[in-house]
Amino acid sequence: MTAIPSRLSLTICIAALGLCLGQALAEPPVSGALISPAPAAIASDQTPADFLDMVGQRMKARWRLMFRPPPPTPPTDRGRAALILGSLLADSFLVWQATDSQQFRNNNQDVLTYCRMLGLGEKLMPRLMAQGKMAEDSEWKDLRHEIVDGHQELVRMLREQKDEDLALMIDLGLWLRVLEIVSTLVADAPDVDIRPLCIGSPAILQDMRDDFSRISAPKRQGTMVKRIGVAMDEISTLWKDVNKVPPTQIQVAKTHEKLKELMQALMDKQS
């Protein structure tokens, strides 16, 4: 599976999960009503923003509590820098959900700093500056499209300059951070039916592992990348029976802790 189809596979899994949980993304439910899953209504343009939308529809999400401190100075390791940049792109989607213009501009500045480290700063700076202006003017609807397109453009540029490993690691860092955010929300919620949200779906984890396996062998031997691979295997094992038995709070707590530890290690200057 090539990198681009893998991302589409992620989006299909997210769409399917939303349907299985009884939440139609295209048409909000009437209060108190249950919606039966649509048999084959799978959109082709699902994004991390759509996933966070669905999470917000399923539960009360206090997005601002998920903000985190600024990242460290970009490391010299380009692979680790790509992972952190991916997590910062996830924060763009998070801050958009919270509609916090100042936080968005701050995060976008960090995104630009990391893009410069990867040699893409000058190419992406006009777009990032435009995004900051849109946040300042509260043009949230248009900004959503810009964030999605900006992520896709960044990955495309890396592939065009033959940096497939970096493109894969940006997407990996993005989804790890998204799942960390959602697992934090789910860990604090008592509802059993939303517990699967903290991993998206078993198929999403498998696609992430597939992307991991496509990273070149030398890059996979890096300390941080190797740690991510181990954690994804452990999380996959935790959720191997999710389609057979209801997930427990222990599964959620362990998953959240592993994702949290990964993000902390990634942002740690000493790791």
Side-chain angles (χ1 to χ4, degrees):
M1 181 167 56
T2 62
I4 292 178
S6 174
R7 234 178 15 257
L8 291 177
S9 180
L10 284 178
T11 64
I12 290 173
C13 294
I14 293 169
L17 174 65
L19 294 173
C20 290
L21 290 172
Q23 177 66 54
L25 293 176
E27 183 177 349
V30 178
S31 178
L34 295 178
I35 296 180
S36 300
I42 297 178
S44 62
D45 59 349
Q46 297 293 308
T47 68
D50 296 315
F51 180 44
L52 293 180
D53 274 349
M54 187 261 288
V55 170
Q57 292 167 2
R58 292 291 300 166
M59 61 188 299
K60 182 175 178 60
R62 301 175 69 182
W63 301 115
R64 290 171 189 259
L65 296 183
M66 302 297 104
F67 292 174
R68 58 181 179 172
T73 301
T76 55
D77 181 348
R78 285 165 59 83
R80 185 163 171 246
L83 288 165
I84 295 175
L85 176 55
S87 76
L88 292 172
L89 294 176
D91 284 338
S92 296
F93 292 111
L94 165 66
V95 178
W96 184 89
Q97 293 288 336
T99 61
D100 187 319
S101 60
Q102 184 59 56
Q103 184 71 13
F104 185 88
R105 293 197 301 273
N106 293 343
N107 186 72
N108 242 29
Q109 186 59 51
D110 294 329
V111 169
L112 177 58
T113 298
Y114 273 76
C115 285
R116 282 175 173 156
M117 190 274 173
L118 297 181
L120 298 174
E122 298 309 311
K123 293 180 179 179
L124 289 172
M125 183 167 62
R127 179 165 225 154
L128 293 172
M129 291 180 65
Q131 290 178 1
K133 184 64 166 63
M134 293 168 75
E136 183 179 353
D137 295 339
S138 298
E139 298 175 1
W140 298 109
K141 181 178 180 181
D142 292 336
L143 179 57
R144 176 193 174 105
H145 296 298
E146 266 297 310
I147 301 171
V148 172
D149 292 346
H151 164 226
Q152 294 172 348
E153 181 182 15
L154 171 59
V155 172
R156 176 182 59 78
M157 285 181 176
L158 287 171
R159 292 198 172 100
E160 286 178 353
Q161 65 184 36
K162 309 303 180 183
D163 279 327
E164 179 68 14
D165 281 347
L166 298 184
L168 288 167
M169 283 190 270
I170 281 177
D171 276 350
L172 193 57
L174 189 158
W175 282 102
L176 285 170
R177 171 61 175 152
V178 166
L179 293 183
E180 186 220 1
I181 291 167
V182 175
S183 72
T184 303
L185 296 170
V186 174
D188 292 335
D191 300 340
V192 175
D193 63 339
I194 65 170
R195 288 174 182 169
L197 285 173
C198 75
I199 60 161
S201 76
I204 286 179
L205 285 181
Q206 184 58 53
D207 273 334
M208 292 172 70
R209 294 173 69 187
D210 290 344
D211 277 348
F212 178 88
S213 70
R214 280 190 292 275
I215 297 172
S216 66
K219 289 290 187 183
R220 290 202 307 272
Q221 295 309 307
T223 302
M224 191 67 229
V225 178
K226 186 183 295 186
R227 183 170 179 175
I228 288 172
V230 171
M232 287 194 299
D233 287 345
E234 292 174 344
I235 292 172
S236 295
T237 299
L238 272 175
W239 290 84
K240 64 180 180 180
D241 295 325
V242 67
N243 293 324
K244 300 176 182 178
V245 295
T248 67
Q249 188 63 32
I250 293 177
Q251 284 173 267
V252 172
K254 288 183 176 180
T255 300
H256 168 60
E257 190 59 32
K258 290 182 184 297
L259 291 168
K260 180 181 177 182
E261 288 176 355
L262 275 183
M263 285 297 107
Q264 288 178 339
L266 185 61
M267 306 299 275
D268 186 353
K269 295 180 182 179
Q270 303 302 317
S271 63

